[in-house]
Amino acid sequence: MSVTSTETVIALPNNHSIRSLGTSIDSLSPPHQKNSQLSRVYKEASTLFLTREFAEAFSLLQPFLTVPERSGDDAAGDEEDEELECLALIATASRSLRVKVWSLYLTLLNAIIGLGPEEGKAALGSKQWRDIATKVRNSTIWDEVVRIGYGGIEGNVDAEVVTNLATLLLSHSASQSTNQEQLEAYLATSDLPHAPPPSSKKDPFATPTNSPKNSYRESSPPTNGATNTPHALASRLKILELYILHVLPANSQWEYARDFIQINDTLDDERKELFSHALEALEAEKTGENRGEEASKTAEDLPSSQDLRHAEPGPIEDTEHDLHEQHHRRPNSEHDYGIIDEEDQQA
């Protein structure tokens, strides 16, 4: 992409256009200028999202969430430039802004899929809506975010972004296998903050508002802010909650979920008990639903009262004769439980 242009015009599907502020996004070298422009774009996209102008918000965010094309002259550079070549512009934003933009984007994808095929295709076009729905339902959106936003390093993904990704896949992915694998990769490669006693908080799953502000490079490795801070701990607990109480049960891995709770280093004894009780309640609820489904299926297989009314009666005489023979053939054994028939008593 040429860097000689002084401003960028982003075309929108409904023939409107939004003129981005400042110079072209790929010609802004100082980080503060990129952050400033991305911050303004974020605010404008948020407003469009709130007014349900999803296509416009999506188009506005796209240049920051795709790897920019580079000409031959641009590609020649030092090692740092080559490393950034495969990253989207959002990768170099400050941590707080990066989290906000990714969270808005993933929430926007959820809303776009929620439009359904007809309304979605009308708003974004058939191909674009189908592409969005496919990459979410096939779970490839997770790989895309890790690759272009965090240099392909699972443990570098911000915890809040992981939470939004897992929630998005829980809502729309047909299989939760990929969701489980991605969460396990993240948990295995990111720091493990140890939990202080939860007695100082009303809700052990509550998320404090303070968050560290560090850029993609400043926080690497790891870049997810996974340190012993209240905010990092709360984010970690939220991910564990999604993994243990939603993803693993969706894959019917109840026993593994129980074992994971006991061996996890982030959870103290009180939180382990909380998670165990919640998991037990979910399993009981799921078991009850399965039994209800089996009962309904059994009821469907049973003949209806109308079928029984129209059924031909069996031969009564033969039935009585069979019962009489069975009575006289019955052995006098311990299975009579001491009950003596009147005929036996008279004999």
Side-chain angles (χ1 to χ4, degrees):
M1 180 182 293
S2 174
V3 298
T4 57
S5 59
T6 57
E7 54 188 14
T8 301
V9 177
I10 303 174
L12 301 178
N14 59 356
N15 297 326
H16 292 290
S17 63
I18 297 178
R19 190 172 299 273
S20 61
L21 301 173
T23 58
S24 176
I25 56 177
D26 56 348
S27 63
L28 290 176
S29 52
H32 71 276
Q33 287 183 329
K34 290 182 180 180
N35 280 335
S36 177
Q37 186 188 29
L38 182 55
S39 178
R40 296 177 187 180
V41 169
Y42 165 76
K43 292 177 181 178
E44 190 167 358
S46 298
T47 301
L48 292 170
F49 173 79
L50 293 174
T51 56
R52 295 186 61 82
E53 297 176 81
F54 299 148
E56 291 83 348
F58 182 82
S59 296
L60 192 60
L61 291 174
Q62 274 301 99
F64 294 91
L65 304 178
T66 54
V67 178
E69 297 180 1
R70 297 178 183 272
S71 64
D73 295 335
D74 295 333
D78 56 24
E79 183 178 348
E80 182 175 347
D81 291 335
E82 292 177 1
E83 183 181 348
L84 292 173
E85 187 175 348
C86 296
L87 295 174
L89 294 170
I90 191 176
T92 56
S94 64
R95 182 188 184 278
S96 59
L97 182 57
R98 184 173 70 232
V99 168
K100 288 180 180 179
V101 174
W102 275 126
S103 299
L104 174 61
Y105 177 70
L106 295 173
T107 304
L108 181 60
L109 295 187
N110 179 67
I112 288 173
I113 297 175
L115 292 174
E118 296 303 322
E119 190 176 352
K121 291 174 182 178
L124 290 95
S126 177
K127 183 181 184 304
Q128 190 172 53
W129 185 89
R130 187 171 59 250
D131 290 345
I132 292 173
T134 298
K135 70 180 180 180
V136 172
R137 290 169 179 168
N138 293 348
S139 305
T140 56
I141 179 63
W142 197 307
D143 287 329
E144 178 183 317
V145 171
V146 175
R147 175 172 46 83
I148 68 175
Y150 298 90
I153 304 175
E154 294 281 355
N156 283 0
V157 183
D158 298 295
E160 299 88 341
V161 178
V162 172
T163 299
N164 282 300
L165 279 167
T167 304
L168 182 65
L169 297 193
L170 276 168
S171 300
H172 298 290
S173 181
S175 171
Q176 293 303 309
S177 298
T178 301
N179 205 358
Q180 178 178 341
E181 292 171 1
Q182 297 284 13
L183 284 173
E184 288 171 350
Y186 170 81
L187 292 171
T189 55
S190 59
D191 281 349
L192 296 170
H194 294 279
S199 57
S200 60
K201 299 179 183 179
K202 294 182 179 179
D203 182 5
F205 302 115
T207 303
T209 55
N210 61 308
S211 61
K213 295 183 178 181
N214 52 318
S215 68
Y216 174 79
R217 292 193 170 277
E218 291 171 342
S219 57
S220 177
T223 59
N224 55 10
T227 56
N228 292 320
T229 65
H231 175 79
L233 173 61
S235 298
R236 187 80 172 191
L237 288 173
K238 182 61 179 177
I239 293 172
L240 290 174
E241 179 186 350
L242 287 169
Y243 178 67
I244 297 171
L245 301 181
H246 296 274
V247 176
L248 290 179
N251 292 330
S252 299
Q253 297 194 20
W254 302 97
E255 190 64 31
Y256 177 70
R258 282 189 285 271
D259 293 340
F260 184 85
I261 292 173
Q262 298 307 316
I263 65 174
N264 186 264
D265 294 332
T266 304
L267 303 174
D268 59 12
D269 291 340
E270 185 172 345
R271 287 189 174 91
K272 286 179 179 179
E273 186 176 357
L274 286 172
F275 273 91
S276 296
H277 287 327
L279 184 66
E280 183 180 351
L282 285 171
E283 187 175 13
E285 182 181 351
K286 183 66 176 177
T287 302
E289 291 177 358
N290 292 338
R291 288 176 178 172
E293 292 175 359
E294 291 176 1
S296 300
K297 187 176 185 304
T298 303
E300 292 175 358
D301 294 338
L302 291 174
S304 63
S305 58
Q306 184 176 3
D307 294 335
L308 292 174
R309 285 197 300 269
H310 289 85
E312 295 183 2
I316 298 178
E317 295 80 8
D318 294 344
T319 303
E320 291 180 347
H321 181 267
D322 292 339
L323 290 175
H324 184 69
E325 284 188 352
Q326 291 178 13
H327 168 74
H328 286 284
R329 287 200 307 267
R330 187 185 65 182
N332 185 14
S333 66
E334 60 181 358
H335 294 292
D336 292 335
Y337 299 103
I339 300 177
I340 303 176
D341 289 339
E342 187 175 351
E343 291 182 7
D344 297 335
Q345 203 169 23
Q346 291 176 356

